[in-house]
Amino acid sequence: MVSKIFYFTGSGNTLKLAKDLAQEVGGVELVKISYTMEFDQSDCNVAGIAYPVYCFGLPNIVVNFIEKVQFHKNAYTFGLASYGGLLTASGKLMKKTLAKRNLSLNAGFAVRMPGNATMVYDVPKAEKREGMYKVEQERIKQIAATVKNKSNHTVDTNLGILGSLASSTSGVMMKKINETDKAFFVDEKCNSCGICEKICPVQNITMIDGKPQWRHKCESCLACFHWCPQAAIQSGKKTASRSRYHHPDIELKDMM
């Protein structure tokens, strides 16, 4: 039996969930989702898909993965969502996308983690973040028990019918997500370290004359924004006064 968790992450929240679950379950390989990865995963008969909730739905790169990946025909498949505020019905979108390819979603889990949409709101205070981390540890143990037994589990959602309606609009909102980087710029704190270029999961950043240039194929994961050691990357007028965030248990080398 080959067990894998395929993950996409920007702040490290989703990678933390994937790592903790892999440790609890045991014998699980972690695979980073990318546009250049190997989509033939037909040896995998326990497959987890870990992702952050974007615009009430799924990141484009995760949708692309679901539309192309090949699992074992009898694979036990589950989703694992990291969300900062509104989970809505993103897991149901995953189930629907898999169903189009005659693949099943046996379970859909969700864990609330500190939000990183700093263009919209500031990072939660330290006390609140610590509370989320404690809840995450207990939640992962519960999820691991279900995965170990390959049990079916209702897809986690919130907000009821409103959540479903919100998620139904996700596809429209995500159509122009690749161009969100047009609002990015660097201020005088940029020291040309190049970490933003290296950490981008879709190679969307090129260093030109020592400064990052975004190429408009952005996934809006904000890895460049939050992992910049100088907090030099900005978007609009409000981010300069707001905090940066990445999960304290995830290191830069993990993201690379």
Side-chain angles (χ1 to χ4, degrees):
M1 180 176 72
V2 177
S3 301
K4 298 180 181 181
I5 297 177
F6 304 88
Y7 72 91
F8 176 66
T9 193
S11 65
N13 280 340
T14 306
L15 178 54
K16 173 62 173 174
L17 297 185
K19 289 180 73 171
D20 286 353
L21 183 56
Q23 183 175 357
E24 285 288 333
V25 174
V28 177
E29 178 185 351
L30 297 182
V31 181
K32 187 175 183 177
I33 294 175
S34 74
Y35 284 114
T36 59
M37 68 181 294
E38 175 56 64
F39 291 102
D40 184 0
Q41 300 289 339
S42 52
D43 64 334
C44 181
N45 50 13
V46 175
I49 304 172
Y51 65 99
V53 175
Y54 285 5
C55 298
F56 314 128
L58 310 172
N60 287 338
I61 195 170
V62 175
V63 174
N64 178 75
F65 168 74
I66 295 171
E67 290 175 343
K68 294 181 179 179
V69 71
Q70 299 292 331
F71 295 138
H72 187 279
K73 63 179 181 179
N74 296 318
Y76 172 82
T77 305
F78 64 92
L80 178 59
S82 167
Y83 69 103
L86 298 177
L87 168 63
T88 59
S90 61
K92 289 186 176 180
L93 287 182
M94 176 176 287
K95 186 172 185 177
K96 183 178 180 180
T97 306
L98 284 166
K100 290 179 181 178
R101 303 190 56 236
N102 295 316
L103 297 174
S104 299
L105 185 68
N106 300 96
F109 310 105
V111 181
R112 190 174 185 186
M113 298 289 273
N116 69 344
T118 313
M119 294 76 159
V120 183
Y121 51 76
D122 207 346
V123 175
K125 301 297 183 183
E127 183 178 357
K128 187 173 183 179
R129 297 199 303 268
E130 289 301 321
M132 290 181 181
Y133 298 150
K134 291 179 181 179
V135 172
E136 182 262 346
Q137 292 294 305
E138 295 304 313
R139 180 69 176 129
I140 286 295
K141 291 178 182 178
Q142 298 168 357
I143 294 170
T146 302
V147 173
K148 282 181 180 179
N149 293 325
K150 296 185 185 178
S151 301
N152 290 333
H153 185 281
T154 303
V155 175
D156 287 342
T157 62
N158 67 10
L159 301 183
I161 186 65
L162 291 178
S164 295
L165 288 172
S167 290
S168 69
T169 67
S170 176
V172 175
M173 290 188 286
M174 291 297 289
K175 281 185 177 180
K176 292 191 176 182
I177 203 76
N178 299 133
E179 299 180 3
T180 54
D181 61 6
K182 289 182 177 180
F184 293 169
F185 63 95
V186 290
D187 60 25
E188 69 283 353
K189 297 191 296 295
C190 177
N191 63 0
S192 305
C193 69
I195 286 176
C196 55
E197 179 183 35
K198 297 173 185 175
I199 203 171
C200 179
V202 291
Q203 292 78 53
N204 183 49
I205 298 173
T206 301
M207 298 296 289
I208 299 177
D209 296 330
K211 303 299 178 184
Q213 301 293 320
W214 287 266
R215 300 163 58 192
H216 313 317
K217 56 177 184 178
C218 184
E219 284 288 332
S220 200
C221 72
L222 302 184
C224 60
F225 181 90
H226 286 288
W227 287 90
C228 172
Q230 305 300 319
I233 297 175
Q234 309 298 343
S235 178
K237 299 179 179 180
K238 296 182 179 180
T239 58
S241 62
R242 290 176 176 170
S243 303
R244 270 46 174 176
Y245 168 81
H246 52 79
H247 197 285
D249 291 345
I250 300 299
E251 299 180 14
L252 186 61
K253 63 180 181 180
D254 300 320
M255 298 295 294
M256 298 297 192

mmCIF file of all heavy atoms in Angstrom, residues 49 51 57-58 62-63 66-67 77-80 89-109 152-157 167:
data_model
loop_
_atom_site.group_PDB
_atom_site.id
_atom_site.type_symbol
_atom_site.label_atom_id
_atom_site.label_comp_id
_atom_site.label_asym_id
_atom_site.label_seq_id
_atom_site.Cartn_x
_atom_site.Cartn_y
_atom_site.Cartn_z
ATOM 1 N N ILE A 49 -5.276 15.133 -0.236
ATOM 2 C CA ILE A 49 -5.030 16.382 -0.959
ATOM 3 C C ILE A 49 -5.199 17.519 0.042
ATOM 4 O O ILE A 49 -6.310 17.819 0.474
ATOM 5 C CB ILE A 49 -5.995 16.557 -2.143
ATOM 6 C CG1 ILE A 49 -5.917 15.348 -3.081
ATOM 7 C CG2 ILE A 49 -5.680 17.846 -2.907
ATOM 8 C CD1 ILE A 49 -6.981 15.356 -4.182
ATOM 9 N N TYR A 51 -4.799 21.482 1.096
ATOM 10 C CA TYR A 51 -4.852 22.748 0.364
ATOM 11 C C TYR A 51 -5.386 23.873 1.256
ATOM 12 O O TYR A 51 -6.142 23.620 2.204
ATOM 13 C CB TYR A 51 -5.776 22.609 -0.852
ATOM 14 C CG TYR A 51 -7.230 22.362 -0.470
ATOM 15 C CD1 TYR A 51 -8.150 23.407 -0.455
ATOM 16 C CD2 TYR A 51 -7.682 21.098 -0.092
ATOM 17 C CE1 TYR A 51 -9.462 23.205 -0.079
ATOM 18 C CE2 TYR A 51 -8.999 20.878 0.276
ATOM 19 C CZ TYR A 51 -9.889 21.935 0.285
ATOM 20 O OH TYR A 51 -11.192 21.727 0.679
ATOM 21 N N GLY A 57 -13.048 28.557 -2.295
ATOM 22 C CA GLY A 57 -12.880 27.330 -3.072
ATOM 23 C C GLY A 57 -11.454 26.813 -3.046
ATOM 24 O O GLY A 57 -10.765 26.887 -2.021
ATOM 25 N N LEU A 58 -11.013 26.302 -4.208
ATOM 26 C CA LEU A 58 -9.720 25.647 -4.325
ATOM 27 C C LEU A 58 -8.734 26.509 -5.113
ATOM 28 O O LEU A 58 -9.124 27.169 -6.082
ATOM 29 C CB LEU A 58 -9.871 24.308 -5.056
ATOM 30 C CG LEU A 58 -10.950 23.349 -4.565
ATOM 31 C CD1 LEU A 58 -11.074 22.173 -5.530
ATOM 32 C CD2 LEU A 58 -10.629 22.853 -3.167
ATOM 33 N N VAL A 62 -4.371 23.472 -7.454
ATOM 34 C CA VAL A 62 -4.955 22.251 -6.893
ATOM 35 C C VAL A 62 -6.023 21.693 -7.831
ATOM 36 O O VAL A 62 -6.123 20.482 -8.027
ATOM 37 C CB VAL A 62 -5.531 22.524 -5.490
ATOM 38 C CG1 VAL A 62 -6.257 21.292 -4.943
ATOM 39 C CG2 VAL A 62 -4.412 22.944 -4.534
ATOM 40 N N VAL A 63 -6.815 22.581 -8.418
ATOM 41 C CA VAL A 63 -7.804 22.141 -9.412
ATOM 42 C C VAL A 63 -7.104 21.457 -10.576
ATOM 43 O O VAL A 63 -7.530 20.392 -11.044
ATOM 44 C CB VAL A 63 -8.645 23.332 -9.916
ATOM 45 C CG1 VAL A 63 -9.568 22.894 -11.058
ATOM 46 C CG2 VAL A 63 -9.469 23.921 -8.783
ATOM 47 N N ILE A 66 -6.098 17.971 -9.551
ATOM 48 C CA ILE A 66 -7.227 17.041 -9.485
ATOM 49 C C ILE A 66 -7.684 16.635 -10.888
ATOM 50 O O ILE A 66 -8.076 15.490 -11.118
ATOM 51 C CB ILE A 66 -8.396 17.675 -8.696
ATOM 52 C CG1 ILE A 66 -7.990 17.885 -7.236
ATOM 53 C CG2 ILE A 66 -9.643 16.788 -8.760
ATOM 54 C CD1 ILE A 66 -8.999 18.694 -6.435
ATOM 55 N N GLU A 67 -7.606 17.558 -11.827
ATOM 56 C CA GLU A 67 -8.055 17.279 -13.189
ATOM 57 C C GLU A 67 -7.092 16.370 -13.963
ATOM 58 O O GLU A 67 -7.478 15.788 -14.976
ATOM 59 C CB GLU A 67 -8.247 18.588 -13.950
ATOM 60 C CG GLU A 67 -9.436 19.404 -13.459
ATOM 61 C CD GLU A 67 -9.556 20.751 -14.140
ATOM 62 O OE1 GLU A 67 -8.568 21.214 -14.753
ATOM 63 O OE2 GLU A 67 -10.656 21.350 -14.069
ATOM 64 N N THR A 77 -9.492 8.289 -0.875
ATOM 65 C CA THR A 77 -9.080 9.666 -1.132
ATOM 66 C C THR A 77 -9.749 10.614 -0.139
ATOM 67 O O THR A 77 -10.946 10.499 0.132
ATOM 68 C CB THR A 77 -9.471 10.080 -2.565
ATOM 69 O OG1 THR A 77 -8.920 9.144 -3.488
ATOM 70 C CG2 THR A 77 -8.944 11.464 -2.898
ATOM 71 N N PHE A 78 -8.953 11.526 0.395
ATOM 72 C CA PHE A 78 -9.516 12.496 1.339
ATOM 73 C C PHE A 78 -8.932 13.887 1.091
ATOM 74 O O PHE A 78 -7.832 14.040 0.550
ATOM 75 C CB PHE A 78 -9.256 12.077 2.790
ATOM 76 C CG PHE A 78 -7.801 12.044 3.187
ATOM 77 C CD1 PHE A 78 -7.183 13.154 3.749
ATOM 78 C CD2 PHE A 78 -7.050 10.888 3.008
ATOM 79 C CE1 PHE A 78 -5.846 13.116 4.132
ATOM 80 C CE2 PHE A 78 -5.711 10.837 3.391
ATOM 81 C CZ PHE A 78 -5.105 11.961 3.939
ATOM 82 N N GLY A 79 -9.702 14.897 1.460
ATOM 83 C CA GLY A 79 -9.249 16.278 1.373
ATOM 84 C C GLY A 79 -8.926 16.804 2.759
ATOM 85 O O GLY A 79 -9.516 16.366 3.753
ATOM 86 N N LEU A 80 -7.979 17.732 2.818
ATOM 87 C CA LEU A 80 -7.585 18.339 4.086
ATOM 88 C C LEU A 80 -7.399 19.835 3.852
ATOM 89 O O LEU A 80 -6.411 20.262 3.258
ATOM 90 C CB LEU A 80 -6.292 17.698 4.598
ATOM 91 C CG LEU A 80 -5.708 18.255 5.901
ATOM 92 C CD1 LEU A 80 -6.709 18.115 7.048
ATOM 93 C CD2 LEU A 80 -4.397 17.550 6.247
ATOM 94 N N ALA A 89 -17.860 25.769 1.389
ATOM 95 C CA ALA A 89 -18.063 24.395 0.898
ATOM 96 C C ALA A 89 -16.957 24.005 -0.084
ATOM 97 O O ALA A 89 -17.205 23.354 -1.088
ATOM 98 C CB ALA A 89 -19.432 24.273 0.241
ATOM 99 N N SER A 90 -15.728 24.418 0.201
ATOM 100 C CA SER A 90 -14.617 24.121 -0.699
ATOM 101 C C SER A 90 -14.411 22.621 -0.879
ATOM 102 O O SER A 90 -14.055 22.156 -1.957
ATOM 103 C CB SER A 90 -13.326 24.762 -0.181
ATOM 104 O OG SER A 90 -12.988 24.250 1.105
ATOM 105 N N GLY A 91 -14.641 21.851 0.199
ATOM 106 C CA GLY A 91 -14.491 20.403 0.107
ATOM 107 C C GLY A 91 -15.480 19.781 -0.861
ATOM 108 O O GLY A 91 -15.169 18.804 -1.548
ATOM 109 N N LYS A 92 -16.673 20.357 -0.929
ATOM 110 C CA LYS A 92 -17.670 19.850 -1.880
ATOM 111 C C LYS A 92 -17.254 20.152 -3.314
ATOM 112 O O LYS A 92 -17.550 19.377 -4.228
ATOM 113 C CB LYS A 92 -19.046 20.453 -1.572
ATOM 114 C CG LYS A 92 -19.666 19.909 -0.286
ATOM 115 C CD LYS A 92 -21.087 20.415 -0.095
ATOM 116 C CE LYS A 92 -21.734 19.787 1.133
ATOM 117 N NZ LYS A 92 -23.129 20.261 1.336
ATOM 118 N N LEU A 93 -16.561 21.278 -3.508
ATOM 119 C CA LEU A 93 -16.029 21.578 -4.839
ATOM 120 C C LEU A 93 -14.994 20.528 -5.235
ATOM 121 O O LEU A 93 -14.943 20.096 -6.385
ATOM 122 C CB LEU A 93 -15.400 22.965 -4.867
ATOM 123 C CG LEU A 93 -16.328 24.174 -4.834
ATOM 124 C CD1 LEU A 93 -15.507 25.457 -4.916
ATOM 125 C CD2 LEU A 93 -17.339 24.123 -5.974
ATOM 126 N N MET A 94 -14.165 20.138 -4.272
ATOM 127 C CA MET A 94 -13.188 19.088 -4.551
ATOM 128 C C MET A 94 -13.886 17.786 -4.918
ATOM 129 O O MET A 94 -13.503 17.109 -5.879
ATOM 130 C CB MET A 94 -12.294 18.863 -3.333
ATOM 131 C CG MET A 94 -11.308 17.715 -3.507
ATOM 132 S SD MET A 94 -10.169 17.522 -2.121
ATOM 133 C CE MET A 94 -9.099 18.935 -2.405
ATOM 134 N N LYS A 95 -14.899 17.439 -4.165
ATOM 135 C CA LYS A 95 -15.643 16.206 -4.434
ATOM 136 C C LYS A 95 -16.270 16.239 -5.827
ATOM 137 O O LYS A 95 -16.217 15.251 -6.575
ATOM 138 C CB LYS A 95 -16.737 16.017 -3.378
ATOM 139 C CG LYS A 95 -17.483 14.692 -3.473
ATOM 140 C CD LYS A 95 -18.405 14.503 -2.277
ATOM 141 C CE LYS A 95 -19.051 13.129 -2.319
ATOM 142 N NZ LYS A 95 -19.904 12.887 -1.112
ATOM 143 N N LYS A 96 -16.829 17.379 -6.199
ATOM 144 C CA LYS A 96 -17.458 17.539 -7.507
ATOM 145 C C LYS A 96 -16.425 17.444 -8.625
ATOM 146 O O LYS A 96 -16.675 16.811 -9.667
ATOM 147 C CB LYS A 96 -18.182 18.882 -7.569
ATOM 148 C CG LYS A 96 -18.946 19.145 -8.852
ATOM 149 C CD LYS A 96 -19.672 20.478 -8.796
ATOM 150 C CE LYS A 96 -20.444 20.747 -10.076
ATOM 151 N NZ LYS A 96 -21.164 22.063 -10.005
ATOM 152 N N THR A 97 -15.258 18.052 -8.429
ATOM 153 C CA THR A 97 -14.199 18.018 -9.438
ATOM 154 C C THR A 97 -13.667 16.610 -9.626
ATOM 155 O O THR A 97 -13.419 16.168 -10.758
ATOM 156 C CB THR A 97 -13.051 18.969 -9.041
ATOM 157 O OG1 THR A 97 -13.580 20.273 -8.789
ATOM 158 C CG2 THR A 97 -12.020 19.072 -10.154
ATOM 159 N N LEU A 98 -13.502 15.877 -8.540
ATOM 160 C CA LEU A 98 -13.067 14.476 -8.630
ATOM 161 C C LEU A 98 -14.117 13.617 -9.324
ATOM 162 O O LEU A 98 -13.791 12.737 -10.127
ATOM 163 C CB LEU A 98 -12.784 13.925 -7.233
ATOM 164 C CG LEU A 98 -11.482 14.367 -6.566
ATOM 165 C CD1 LEU A 98 -11.500 14.034 -5.074
ATOM 166 C CD2 LEU A 98 -10.288 13.703 -7.234
ATOM 167 N N ALA A 99 -15.388 13.887 -9.002
ATOM 168 C CA ALA A 99 -16.475 13.088 -9.573
ATOM 169 C C ALA A 99 -16.524 13.192 -11.089
ATOM 170 O O ALA A 99 -16.916 12.237 -11.778
ATOM 171 C CB ALA A 99 -17.808 13.517 -8.969
ATOM 172 N N LYS A 100 -16.125 14.330 -11.640
ATOM 173 C CA LYS A 100 -16.104 14.498 -13.097
ATOM 174 C C LYS A 100 -15.149 13.509 -13.754
ATOM 175 O O LYS A 100 -15.277 13.228 -14.948
ATOM 176 C CB LYS A 100 -15.709 15.935 -13.455
ATOM 177 C CG LYS A 100 -16.761 16.978 -13.111
ATOM 178 C CD LYS A 100 -16.282 18.376 -13.470
ATOM 179 C CE LYS A 100 -17.319 19.427 -13.114
ATOM 180 N NZ LYS A 100 -16.837 20.803 -13.417
ATOM 181 N N ARG A 101 -14.211 13.003 -12.984
ATOM 182 C CA ARG A 101 -13.241 12.035 -13.506
ATOM 183 C C ARG A 101 -13.502 10.640 -12.958
ATOM 184 O O ARG A 101 -12.635 9.778 -12.972
ATOM 185 C CB ARG A 101 -11.827 12.493 -13.145
ATOM 186 C CG ARG A 101 -11.515 13.899 -13.659
ATOM 187 C CD ARG A 101 -10.058 14.244 -13.500
ATOM 188 N NE ARG A 101 -9.235 13.262 -14.170
ATOM 189 C CZ ARG A 101 -8.263 12.551 -13.578
ATOM 190 N NH1 ARG A 101 -7.989 12.742 -12.301
ATOM 191 N NH2 ARG A 101 -7.563 11.690 -14.265
ATOM 192 N N ASN A 102 -14.704 10.462 -12.420
ATOM 193 C CA ASN A 102 -15.104 9.183 -11.843
ATOM 194 C C ASN A 102 -14.211 8.769 -10.675
ATOM 195 O O ASN A 102 -13.938 7.585 -10.460
ATOM 196 C CB ASN A 102 -15.104 8.077 -12.914
ATOM 197 C CG ASN A 102 -16.144 8.308 -13.986
ATOM 198 O OD1 ASN A 102 -17.289 8.669 -13.689
ATOM 199 N ND2 ASN A 102 -15.764 8.125 -15.246
ATOM 200 N N LEU A 103 -13.757 9.765 -9.927
ATOM 201 C CA LEU A 103 -12.976 9.521 -8.717
ATOM 202 C C LEU A 103 -13.814 9.934 -7.513
ATOM 203 O O LEU A 103 -14.618 10.867 -7.590
ATOM 204 C CB LEU A 103 -11.671 10.323 -8.741
ATOM 205 C CG LEU A 103 -10.680 9.975 -9.858
ATOM 206 C CD1 LEU A 103 -9.509 10.957 -9.836
ATOM 207 C CD2 LEU A 103 -10.177 8.548 -9.701
ATOM 208 N N SER A 104 -13.616 9.245 -6.417
ATOM 209 C CA SER A 104 -14.413 9.513 -5.218
ATOM 210 C C SER A 104 -13.624 10.320 -4.203
ATOM 211 O O SER A 104 -12.391 10.271 -4.167
ATOM 212 C CB SER A 104 -14.852 8.195 -4.571
ATOM 213 O OG SER A 104 -15.661 7.439 -5.451
ATOM 214 N N LEU A 105 -14.337 11.056 -3.374
ATOM 215 C CA LEU A 105 -13.760 11.697 -2.203
ATOM 216 C C LEU A 105 -14.403 11.031 -0.996
ATOM 217 O O LEU A 105 -15.570 11.244 -0.704
ATOM 218 C CB LEU A 105 -14.039 13.198 -2.201
ATOM 219 C CG LEU A 105 -13.365 13.979 -1.060
ATOM 220 C CD1 LEU A 105 -11.845 14.002 -1.250
ATOM 221 C CD2 LEU A 105 -13.898 15.409 -0.977
ATOM 222 N N ASN A 106 -13.635 10.210 -0.318
ATOM 223 C CA ASN A 106 -14.181 9.436 0.791
ATOM 224 C C ASN A 106 -14.368 10.245 2.058
ATOM 225 O O ASN A 106 -15.205 9.909 2.901
ATOM 226 C CB ASN A 106 -13.273 8.242 1.093
ATOM 227 C CG ASN A 106 -13.135 7.306 -0.087
ATOM 228 O OD1 ASN A 106 -12.184 7.397 -0.849
ATOM 229 N ND2 ASN A 106 -14.109 6.413 -0.270
ATOM 230 N N ALA A 107 -13.579 11.308 2.195
ATOM 231 C CA ALA A 107 -13.666 12.121 3.408
ATOM 232 C C ALA A 107 -13.142 13.523 3.108
ATOM 233 O O ALA A 107 -12.265 13.698 2.260
ATOM 234 C CB ALA A 107 -12.856 11.486 4.538
ATOM 235 N N GLY A 108 -13.679 14.505 3.813
ATOM 236 C CA GLY A 108 -13.214 15.883 3.640
ATOM 237 C C GLY A 108 -13.070 16.567 4.987
ATOM 238 O O GLY A 108 -14.061 16.772 5.684
ATOM 239 N N PHE A 109 -11.850 16.870 5.364
ATOM 240 C CA PHE A 109 -11.571 17.456 6.670
ATOM 241 C C PHE A 109 -11.140 18.916 6.525
ATOM 242 O O PHE A 109 -10.657 19.328 5.480
ATOM 243 C CB PHE A 109 -10.448 16.677 7.370
ATOM 244 C CG PHE A 109 -10.653 15.198 7.397
ATOM 245 C CD1 PHE A 109 -9.922 14.357 6.559
ATOM 246 C CD2 PHE A 109 -11.581 14.624 8.259
ATOM 247 C CE1 PHE A 109 -10.101 12.989 6.576
ATOM 248 C CE2 PHE A 109 -11.775 13.251 8.286
ATOM 249 C CZ PHE A 109 -11.030 12.425 7.437
ATOM 250 N N ASN A 152 -15.246 6.453 5.787
ATOM 251 C CA ASN A 152 -15.886 7.581 5.122
ATOM 252 C C ASN A 152 -16.198 8.662 6.150
ATOM 253 O O ASN A 152 -16.456 8.373 7.329
ATOM 254 C CB ASN A 152 -17.173 7.142 4.427
ATOM 255 C CG ASN A 152 -16.896 6.270 3.215
ATOM 256 O OD1 ASN A 152 -15.835 6.364 2.597
ATOM 257 N ND2 ASN A 152 -17.839 5.419 2.866
ATOM 258 N N HIS A 153 -16.169 9.917 5.712
ATOM 259 C CA HIS A 153 -16.428 11.035 6.613
ATOM 260 C C HIS A 153 -17.096 12.137 5.810
ATOM 261 O O HIS A 153 -16.646 12.492 4.720
ATOM 262 C CB HIS A 153 -15.114 11.546 7.219
ATOM 263 C CG HIS A 153 -15.296 12.624 8.242
ATOM 264 N ND1 HIS A 153 -15.540 13.948 7.914
ATOM 265 C CD2 HIS A 153 -15.258 12.576 9.596
ATOM 266 C CE1 HIS A 153 -15.643 14.651 9.018
ATOM 267 N NE2 HIS A 153 -15.472 13.852 10.061
ATOM 268 N N THR A 154 -18.177 12.679 6.354
ATOM 269 C CA THR A 154 -18.869 13.774 5.686
ATOM 270 C C THR A 154 -17.914 14.943 5.446
ATOM 271 O O THR A 154 -17.097 15.270 6.302
ATOM 272 C CB THR A 154 -20.053 14.260 6.547
ATOM 273 O OG1 THR A 154 -20.922 13.153 6.804
ATOM 274 C CG2 THR A 154 -20.828 15.349 5.825
ATOM 275 N N VAL A 155 -18.012 15.557 4.281
ATOM 276 C CA VAL A 155 -17.139 16.684 3.951
ATOM 277 C C VAL A 155 -17.440 17.860 4.873
ATOM 278 O O VAL A 155 -18.589 18.296 4.986
ATOM 279 C CB VAL A 155 -17.339 17.104 2.480
ATOM 280 C CG1 VAL A 155 -16.517 18.351 2.163
ATOM 281 C CG2 VAL A 155 -16.941 15.963 1.550
ATOM 282 N N ASP A 156 -16.406 18.354 5.549
ATOM 283 C CA ASP A 156 -16.569 19.493 6.451
ATOM 284 C C ASP A 156 -16.934 20.753 5.667
ATOM 285 O O ASP A 156 -16.317 21.068 4.642
ATOM 286 C CB ASP A 156 -15.264 19.764 7.211
ATOM 287 C CG ASP A 156 -14.978 18.729 8.292
ATOM 288 O OD1 ASP A 156 -15.919 18.016 8.686
ATOM 289 O OD2 ASP A 156 -13.819 18.650 8.743
ATOM 290 N N THR A 157 -17.927 21.481 6.146
ATOM 291 C CA THR A 157 -18.339 22.760 5.553
ATOM 292 C C THR A 157 -18.735 23.693 6.692
ATOM 293 O O THR A 157 -18.807 23.278 7.858
ATOM 294 C CB THR A 157 -19.545 22.609 4.612
ATOM 295 O OG1 THR A 157 -20.677 22.124 5.370
ATOM 296 C CG2 THR A 157 -19.255 21.621 3.483
ATOM 297 N N SER A 167 -19.238 29.266 -2.275
ATOM 298 C CA SER A 167 -18.301 28.404 -2.993
ATOM 299 C C SER A 167 -18.655 28.269 -4.465
ATOM 300 O O SER A 167 -17.774 28.085 -5.312
ATOM 301 C CB SER A 167 -18.248 27.017 -2.332
ATOM 302 O OG SER A 167 -17.611 27.088 -1.073
#
